[in-house]
Amino acid sequence: MRQTIIEMRTAYLIVTAAGQGACLAVLCGAEADVGLVAYEMAMLVTRVGQYLTSPTRTVDSSFRGDGTR
């Protein structure tokens, strides 16, 4: 499982892959047990990851890029 942990002054941001095309992110305080948070995220993804998939996005040929069609 791939995870990224970003340490900030007063918090941690943990991001992990959570199914095809999906990620799970958790922001926790600096006093949190980061190892435990990461472990629980992995367990959650194991249980529900199949439901967190995101279909591939395609470019709509009628979309002009400026928010109009």
Side-chain angles (χ1 to χ4, degrees):
M1 174 167 291
R2 292 185 172 195
Q3 292 182 326
T4 299
I5 300 175
I6 300 170
E7 182 179 0
M8 296 177 273
R9 197 172 305 180
T10 60
Y12 291 97
L13 175 64
I14 307 168
V15 182
T16 188
Q20 186 174 350
C23 293
L24 174 65
V26 171
L27 182 66
C28 59
E31 71 283 352
D33 181 340
V34 177
L36 180 59
V37 173
Y39 171 78
E40 291 295 342
M41 289 174 69
M43 293 297 99
L44 179 62
V45 169
T46 299
R47 290 192 305 268
V48 300
Q50 65 184 354
Y51 304 108
L52 298 177
T53 60
S54 176
T56 303
R57 295 178 183 174
T58 58
V59 176
D60 184 350
S61 61
S62 66
F63 184 71
R64 297 186 346 189
D66 62 359
T68 62
R69 293 182 183 255

